[in-house]
Amino acid sequence: MASPPVRTRSRLAPDERISEIMAVTRQLLSEKGYQNVVTSEVAERCGISEGTIYKYFDSKRELLARVAEEWFEEILGADENPPPGAGIRTRLRQLVWKGLSIIRQEPSLSRFVLMELRSDPTYRTMRIYELNRRFTARIGDLLQEAVSTGVFRADVSVRLLRDMIFGCIEHRTWAYLRGEGDFSVDEAADGITNVIYRGMLMPGVQDEGASPQSKTKR
Amino acid sequence: MASPPVRTRSRLAPDERISEIMAVTRQLLSEKGYQNVVTSEVAERCGISEGTIYKYFDSKRELLARVAEEWFEEILGADENPPPGAGIRTRLRQLVWKGLSIIRQEPSLSRFVLMELRSDPTYRTMRIYELNRRFTARIGDLLQEAVSTGVFRADVSVRLLRDMIFGCIEHRTWAYLRGEGDFSVDEAADGITNVIYRGMLMPGVQDEGASPQSKTKR
Amino acid sequence: MASPPVRTRSRLAPDERISEIMAVTRQLLSEKGYQNVVTSEVAERCGISEGTIYKYFDSKRELLARVAEEWFEEILGADENPPPGAGIRTRLRQLVWKGLSIIRQEPSLSRFVLMELRSDPTYRTMRIYELNRRFTARIGDLLQEAVSTGVFRADVSVRLLRDMIFGCIEHRTWAYLRGEGDFSVDEAADGITNVIYRGMLMPGVQDEGASPQSKTKR
Amino acid sequence: MASPPVRTRSRLAPDERISEIMAVTRQLLSEKGYQNVVTSEVAERCGISEGTIYKYFDSKRELLARVAEEWFEEILGADENPPPGAGIRTRLRQLVWKGLSIIRQEPSLSRFVLMELRSDPTYRTMRIYELNRRFTARIGDLLQEAVSTGVFRADVSVRLLRDMIFGCIEHRTWAYLRGEGDFSVDEAADGITNVIYRGMLMPGVQDEGASPQSKTKR
DNA sequence: CATGAATGAGTCTTCATTCAT
DNA sequence: CATGAATGAAGACTCATTCAT
């Protein structure tokens, strides 16, 4: 092992320190999952003492929750509006694509939010709950609209459709995470949209046709 | 005097002991989830000492993994054959229903396999991996057959379809676990089958029609 | 520092270990007071690891409380009955003497019970509370009897008299602890009894006269 | 625009700063007791940094000790002289009343002095020791005078009488602190004075009679 | 061979004190 | 000179694992 790197007592502005701690924690969360993030390792990677973490965060839980929130906000912030006058299919694809790419970009963090935080008794009171809810609601609203306007059949619940979409997104992503095969956001978005749209389209309604991929292509 | 009915310090054959430990662990896993299974409690419930567990299992992880394997095998073993001559839709629904009911019945164990074990670096070498693969493969094979025989379109990958199915199953189940809404295996199986089947059915091919629920019910 | 004393993993029967831990804790409590008893030192003095303590006690608090209880019971157990037909003065002196000698023998433990435990929110539910109450009640009852039978005046509350007695006992003992002067249980018992008895004796009632010291001496 | 009413970073003279720190600490000590006074809170309430405290005080202990000293001095300073020509009983009651009301008014501070500081190895060298001693000495001197002039008997040591008085005061106050029953300074002062005075009065000496309460009543 | 007492590395958290800026 | 970011040693407590009996 190398001699310690000068061990100069680093001194940062609070904001920078907070950022650093959160960045390191995000990374760690990404690598190991919530239960396995340990304060001592956060401190070590930051090159600070454990005590310093507690200067800025009341508890490990708070730290993790804030990391998740920040990240979620970051991602959901960048929101394109749907093209005006776009049909159900186009708008559905856009949302599915967004969901896929979110998880694709930060899969372990997704997992943390989706699996760990969501089980927290106070989850419902956290800001991240609201952020999360807002996104799923957009898909739910779109599906509801499709049913209400007679574009979609009414024989499968909106609830189940939402589960199919998010379930597929999550499943696909985790498989990717575990190194199982490749994963194209565009292809997956197309596939999901196609199956759901065609599977739900009311007989007799004109199919919008697949939206040209280029529209949402990154 | 009659011999005391006292449960004398049980002296079980190794196989029985192993069975008992695994049964107790399964119960515990089911109640509390992987991270919260503690060896001391396993020992206590078995009425044995902690040390004894280590006579039969190298580590907690190994114990848990074997429990999961046994359980999986048990469940996948009880396999009704599809009715001879059944169509794609009927067979698809049967498999989806099976997957849903497995997770529905033993959600904590599922979660353990799905979330914890699957992340294990050696997961691919575990027998449970093979068992798991075998089940998903059956769905994969069915879907592949549907595509090959021209019943399903070829514009969505079998892979993605499988993800939609399993993702939805898991997603639905976890939501249920967290107390979000009710969950009917039959309704979900119908919904998933409908969307996938209708969404993938090759234009021009005759729809089998929804199979009467009674066929696979319960 | 000397080389570690053979560091042989000692192995004791649970009862012995528990006794040892409690004995060591009693000693430590005696030396430093509740707040300053640290689990690591208990372990070190026992020559065991900290974990072992927690095999036998759920928490530090529980350990300390049990130490106090055991000790109290030990002391209050050895209870001489008052000589039959003894007057107020004799019986008062006997109780005062007992109280003094209890604290004299184990002053730091007394202090722990009196000062720390007594502030515990759950103190009232502890067994030690009952033990303690029983002793103070005996003095209270005696004083009440004296007032009721017209031996004592009624112009000072029983409550205050009890406080004078116990307050004096505690005060005297702590001073002693801090090394302030000597402290004779007999002399103090006589003094307290004299002042209280003479100070409260109803005018016109015949003074029993000081009981000969030899009766309760040592 | 008017200059902002913003409390600019206060730039106090050292003396004022010291006063402020001590005042805040006294308040905190009074609220929470010694062990629970934390330097960070002192700093926060003063609107200064933690480091600054250490500019003026070597350690937390020193700060606390000086607070106690100042407070004690303040209290003992405000001393009414006994009415000229007052008898033993009157003067005794006055002192007892004083002692009771001191503790009654500032129980947490008393407790700190009585329980924590007094155990300090260097207690005897602290100024507070001297202050404390001076007050107890006044009672001691009075009792001594009573004995020397033949008003009090000589069969109980002055030492013990002092302990009865202070012990009772402390005991009564702590019970009150723990919420056990009410506590009247006047009643307690009367009771203590009565018992001690009557209990010690030399036979044949004329009882001064209870001093009218109004004399020392607040 | 089973036991179960003991371990010890590790967990999160607290706080009086220091020192570079 | 005051600051306040950082420290680090200590606190109670947990639990998978070991090994002498």
Side-chain angles (χ1 to χ4, degrees):
Chain A
M1 285 154 201
S3 62
V6 200
R7 178 35 84 222
T8 167
R9 193 166 173 158
S10 69
R11 198 181 172 82
L12 256 49
D15 282 358
E16 292 173 50
R17 184 99 299 160
I18 288 174
S19 297
E20 189 191 8
I21 293 172
M22 288 179 74
V24 163
T25 305
R26 190 198 276 205
Q27 178 60 25
L28 240 19
L29 186 54
S30 194
E31 287 170 23
K32 335 191 126 183
Y34 173 65
Q35 295 263 27
N36 301 315
V37 171
V38 255
T39 52
S40 61
E41 196 172 358
V42 172
E44 197 190 351
R45 288 215 199 175
C46 289
I48 60 178
S49 71
E50 282 186 71
T52 301
I53 297 173
Y54 285 87
K55 269 263 148 25
Y56 300 109
F57 301 91
D58 285 344
S59 67
K60 180 185 159 185
R61 171 150 226 99
E62 199 221 318
L63 167 58
L64 272 296
R66 276 183 53 190
V67 163
E69 267 166 19
E70 181 200 60
W71 165 74
F72 235 69
E73 230 152 313
E74 211 176 291
I75 282 177
L76 292 184
D79 242 6
E80 323 83 41
N81 283 335
I88 295 289
R89 181 171 211 149
T90 306
R91 283 148 68 201
L92 181 59
R93 188 185 186 282
Q94 183 188 303
L95 285 171
V96 169
W97 189 93
K98 171 109 190 172
L100 277 164
S101 74
I102 285 176
I103 303 194
R104 174 76 192 278
Q105 277 165 43
E106 298 277 6
S108 286
L109 279 162
S110 304
R111 178 170 163 163
F112 166 60
V113 175
L114 264 21
M115 305 275 53
E116 310 284 351
L117 271 189
R118 211 137 77 172
S119 315
D120 190 299
T122 69
Y123 173 62
R124 285 249 169 58
T125 71
M126 298 170 70
R127 201 150 56 88
I128 194 147
Y129 166 71
E130 188 47 34
L131 289 168
N132 198 31
R133 221 189 53 71
R134 210 175 300 159
F135 183 68
T136 55
R138 284 168 59 197
I139 296 226
D141 291 347
L142 178 61
L143 295 169
Q144 189 59 58
E145 179 192 330
V147 171
S148 303
T149 56
V151 177
F152 273 12
R153 295 154 177 260
D155 64 353
V156 177
S157 74
V158 162
R159 182 77 197 249
L160 186 67
L161 290 174
R162 243 173 47 201
D163 285 339
M164 288 188 75
I165 293 171
F166 283 105
C168 178
I169 290 174
E170 291 173 19
H171 206 253
R172 192 70 280 273
T173 310
W174 288 332
Y176 171 71
L177 261 186
R178 290 193 305 272
E180 298 173 11
D182 202 7
F183 169 40
S184 151
V185 171
D186 282 312
E187 192 197 314
D190 281 331
I192 293 171
T193 312
N194 280 343
V195 175
I196 299 278
Y197 184 77
R198 293 191 309 227
M200 292 300 295
L201 196 64
M202 185 72 86
V205 172
Q206 174 63 39
D207 188 335
E208 293 176 31
S211 55
Q213 290 203 11
S214 52
K215 267 192 186 162
T216 43
K217 205 156 192 178
R218 250 226 145 255
Chain B
M1 290 173 193
S3 65
V6 172
R7 213 184 181 302
T8 96
R9 181 177 303 248
S10 57
R11 184 101 189 162
L12 260 44
D15 281 0
E16 294 174 50
R17 180 102 301 160
I18 289 176
S19 298
E20 193 188 4
I21 294 172
M22 289 177 72
V24 163
T25 306
R26 188 200 281 202
Q27 178 60 25
L28 243 18
L29 185 54
S30 169
E31 287 170 21
K32 335 188 129 185
Y34 172 65
Q35 293 268 19
N36 301 315
V37 171
V38 277
T39 52
S40 61
E41 198 173 355
V42 172
E44 196 190 349
R45 288 213 197 177
C46 289
I48 60 175
S49 73
E50 283 187 72
T52 304
I53 296 174
Y54 286 86
K55 269 271 150 359
Y56 299 109
F57 302 91
D58 287 346
S59 69
K60 180 184 162 187
R61 175 155 219 96
E62 198 222 322
L63 166 59
L64 272 296
R66 279 183 50 193
V67 163
E69 268 166 18
E70 183 198 59
W71 165 74
F72 236 69
E73 225 152 317
E74 215 176 289
I75 282 178
L76 294 183
D79 240 8
E80 321 83 42
N81 283 335
I88 294 291
R89 180 169 211 153
T90 306
R91 285 149 68 201
L92 180 59
R93 188 184 185 283
Q94 184 187 305
L95 286 170
V96 168
W97 190 93
K98 171 113 190 170
L100 278 163
S101 74
I102 287 176
I103 304 194
R104 174 74 191 279
Q105 275 166 46
E106 298 275 10
S108 286
L109 280 163
S110 304
R111 180 169 167 159
F112 168 59
V113 175
L114 264 21
M115 304 274 52
E116 310 283 349
L117 275 188
R118 212 139 77 174
S119 316
D120 192 298
T122 69
Y123 174 62
R124 282 259 173 49
T125 71
M126 299 170 70
R127 201 149 57 87
I128 194 150
Y129 167 71
E130 188 47 35
L131 288 167
N132 200 29
R133 222 190 50 72
R134 209 175 302 158
F135 182 68
T136 54
R138 282 169 59 199
I139 296 225
D141 291 347
L142 178 62
L143 296 169
Q144 188 57 58
E145 179 194 328
V147 171
S148 303
T149 56
V151 177
F152 274 12
R153 297 154 177 260
D155 63 354
V156 177
S157 75
V158 162
R159 183 75 198 252
L160 187 66
L161 290 174
R162 244 174 43 204
D163 285 340
M164 287 188 75
I165 293 170
F166 283 106
C168 178
I169 290 173
E170 292 173 18
H171 205 253
R172 194 69 280 272
T173 308
W174 287 330
Y176 172 70
L177 270 182
R178 286 193 308 272
E180 297 174 10
D182 201 7
F183 170 39
S184 151
V185 171
D186 283 311
E187 193 196 313
D190 281 330
I192 294 172
T193 312
N194 280 344
V195 175
I196 299 279
Y197 184 78
R198 293 190 308 227
M200 293 299 296
L201 196 65
M202 185 74 84
V205 172
Q206 173 63 38
D207 188 333
E208 291 175 34
S211 55
Q213 287 202 16
S214 51
K215 267 191 186 162
T216 41
K217 202 156 194 179
R218 257 229 149 268
Chain C
M1 284 153 202
S3 63
V6 200
R7 179 32 86 222
T8 168
R9 192 168 175 158
S10 69
R11 197 180 172 84
L12 256 49
D15 282 358
E16 292 173 50
R17 183 98 302 157
I18 288 174
S19 298
E20 190 191 6
I21 293 171
M22 287 178 76
V24 163
T25 305
R26 190 198 277 205
Q27 178 60 25
L28 242 20
L29 187 53
S30 190
E31 288 169 21
K32 337 191 124 180
Y34 172 66
Q35 294 265 25
N36 302 315
V37 171
V38 256
T39 52
S40 61
E41 196 171 359
V42 173
E44 197 189 353
R45 288 215 199 175
C46 289
I48 60 177
S49 70
E50 281 187 72
T52 300
I53 297 173
Y54 286 88
K55 268 264 150 18
Y56 300 109
F57 302 91
D58 285 346
S59 67
K60 179 185 160 185
R61 171 150 227 99
E62 198 221 320
L63 168 59
L64 273 296
R66 277 182 54 188
V67 163
E69 267 167 19
E70 181 200 59
W71 165 76
F72 235 69
E73 229 152 310
E74 213 175 290
I75 283 178
L76 292 184
D79 241 7
E80 325 80 43
N81 284 335
I88 295 289
R89 181 171 210 150
T90 307
R91 285 149 68 201
L92 181 59
R93 188 186 186 281
Q94 184 188 304
L95 285 171
V96 169
W97 188 91
K98 170 108 190 172
L100 278 163
S101 75
I102 285 176
I103 303 195
R104 174 74 192 279
Q105 277 164 42
E106 298 276 9
S108 286
L109 278 163
S110 305
R111 177 171 164 163
F112 166 60
V113 175
L114 265 20
M115 304 275 54
E116 311 283 351
L117 271 189
R118 213 137 76 173
S119 317
D120 189 298
T122 70
Y123 173 62
R124 286 248 170 58
T125 72
M126 298 170 71
R127 200 150 57 87
I128 194 146
Y129 166 71
E130 188 47 34
L131 289 167
N132 199 32
R133 220 188 53 71
R134 211 175 301 158
F135 183 68
T136 54
R138 284 169 58 197
I139 297 223
D141 290 347
L142 178 61
L143 296 170
Q144 188 59 57
E145 179 193 331
V147 172
S148 304
T149 56
V151 177
F152 273 12
R153 298 155 176 257
D155 65 353
V156 177
S157 74
V158 163
R159 181 79 197 249
L160 186 66
L161 290 175
R162 244 175 43 203
D163 285 338
M164 288 187 75
I165 293 171
F166 283 106
C168 177
I169 290 174
E170 293 173 19
H171 204 253
R172 191 71 281 273
T173 309
W174 289 330
Y176 172 72
L177 263 185
R178 289 193 306 272
E180 297 173 12
D182 201 6
F183 170 40
S184 152
V185 171
D186 283 312
E187 192 196 313
D190 281 331
I192 294 172
T193 313
N194 281 343
V195 175
I196 299 279
Y197 185 78
R198 293 190 309 227
M200 293 299 296
L201 196 64
M202 186 73 86
V205 172
Q206 173 65 40
D207 188 334
E208 291 176 32
S211 56
Q213 288 204 14
S214 51
K215 267 192 188 162
T216 41
K217 203 158 194 178
R218 255 256 156 245
Chain D
M1 289 173 195
S3 66
V6 170
R7 212 185 181 304
T8 96
R9 181 175 304 247
S10 58
R11 184 100 190 163
L12 260 46
D15 279 359
E16 294 174 50
R17 180 102 300 160
I18 289 176
S19 297
E20 192 189 5
I21 294 172
M22 289 178 72
V24 163
T25 305
R26 186 199 283 202
Q27 178 61 24
L28 244 17
L29 185 54
S30 166
E31 287 169 22
K32 337 190 129 185
Y34 173 64
Q35 294 266 21
N36 302 315
V37 171
V38 278
T39 52
S40 61
E41 198 172 354
V42 172
E44 196 190 349
R45 288 213 200 177
C46 289
I48 60 175
S49 73
E50 283 187 73
T52 303
I53 296 173
Y54 286 85
K55 270 272 150 358
Y56 299 109
F57 302 90
D58 286 345
S59 69
K60 180 185 162 186
R61 174 154 219 100
E62 198 222 321
L63 166 59
L64 271 297
R66 279 183 51 192
V67 163
E69 270 167 17
E70 183 200 60
W71 166 74
F72 234 70
E73 225 153 318
E74 215 176 287
I75 283 179
L76 294 183
D79 241 5
E80 321 83 42
N81 283 337
I88 295 291
R89 182 171 211 151
T90 306
R91 284 150 66 203
L92 180 60
R93 189 185 185 282
Q94 183 188 303
L95 284 171
V96 168
W97 190 92
K98 171 111 191 172
L100 277 164
S101 74
I102 285 177
I103 304 195
R104 175 75 194 279
Q105 277 165 45
E106 298 276 10
S108 285
L109 280 162
S110 305
R111 181 171 168 155
F112 168 60
V113 175
L114 264 20
M115 304 275 52
E116 310 283 350
L117 274 188
R118 212 139 76 173
S119 317
D120 192 298
T122 68
Y123 175 62
R124 283 257 172 50
T125 71
M126 297 170 70
R127 201 150 55 87
I128 193 149
Y129 166 71
E130 189 47 35
L131 289 167
N132 200 30
R133 223 189 53 70
R134 209 174 301 157
F135 182 68
T136 55
R138 284 169 57 198
I139 296 226
D141 290 347
L142 177 62
L143 295 169
Q144 189 58 58
E145 178 192 331
V147 171
S148 304
T149 58
V151 177
F152 273 12
R153 296 153 176 261
D155 64 354
V156 177
S157 74
V158 162
R159 182 75 197 251
L160 186 66
L161 291 174
R162 243 175 44 203
D163 285 339
M164 287 187 76
I165 293 171
F166 283 106
C168 179
I169 290 174
E170 292 174 18
H171 206 254
R172 193 70 280 272
T173 309
W174 286 329
Y176 172 71
L177 268 183
R178 287 194 305 273
E180 298 174 10
D182 202 7
F183 169 40
S184 150
V185 171
D186 282 312
E187 191 196 314
D190 281 331
I192 294 172
T193 312
N194 281 343
V195 175
I196 300 278
Y197 184 79
R198 294 189 310 224
M200 293 300 295
L201 196 65
M202 186 73 86
V205 172
Q206 174 63 40
D207 189 335
E208 293 175 30
S211 55
Q213 289 203 13
S214 52
K215 267 190 185 163
T216 42
K217 207 157 192 179
R218 250 228 145 255

